[in-house]
Amino acid sequence: WRDQVEVVAGDVLDPESLRPALEAVSIAYYLVHSLAAGADYAVRDLAAARTFATAARQAGVERSSISAASRPTAPVCPSISPPGKPPATPSEKRACR
């Protein structure tokens, strides 16, 4: 399949680097996680995914797929409650949109 796609690189925390990477792209796949970044990896992952999604939308990407990792004990978004924790409040859920 490698001869049927073009792989390009960009820094998902740097919107300027994503502009050329997403130019003339019809489908973009986001396969990134920051688990090794330390305790604040979830905040970093969320910021990176949002940066990518915004850049893809601005570039006119027709379809995108975001796949990231999270630990159930440290969710990326408060609306995703780990086992044994109370469900997120409505305001916490809205904060993730």
Side-chain angles (χ1 to χ4, degrees):
W1 62 268
R2 175 79 165 144
D3 61 334
Q4 298 174 356
V5 299
E6 178 185 0
V7 177
V8 295
D11 181 342
V12 293
L13 292 170
D14 176 11
E16 292 302 316
S17 77
L18 295 176
R19 289 185 211 283
L22 293 169
E23 187 175 305
V25 169
S26 57
I27 302 172
Y29 295 93
Y30 175 96
L31 307 170
V32 179
H33 72 77
S34 306
L35 292 174
D40 69 341
Y41 83 92
V43 172
R44 186 180 175 102
D45 271 358
L46 184 56
R50 284 182 172 159
T51 300
F52 174 83
T54 299
R57 188 171 34 258
Q58 290 172 346
V61 173
E62 295 171 24
R63 294 188 306 173
S64 62
S65 174
I66 294 180
S67 177
S70 66
R71 295 181 184 143
T73 57
V76 171
C77 177
S79 69
I80 305 168
S81 299
K85 298 285 184 183
T89 65
S91 63
E92 288 174 326
K93 290 179 183 178
R94 281 192 301 276
C96 294
R97 293 184 190 150

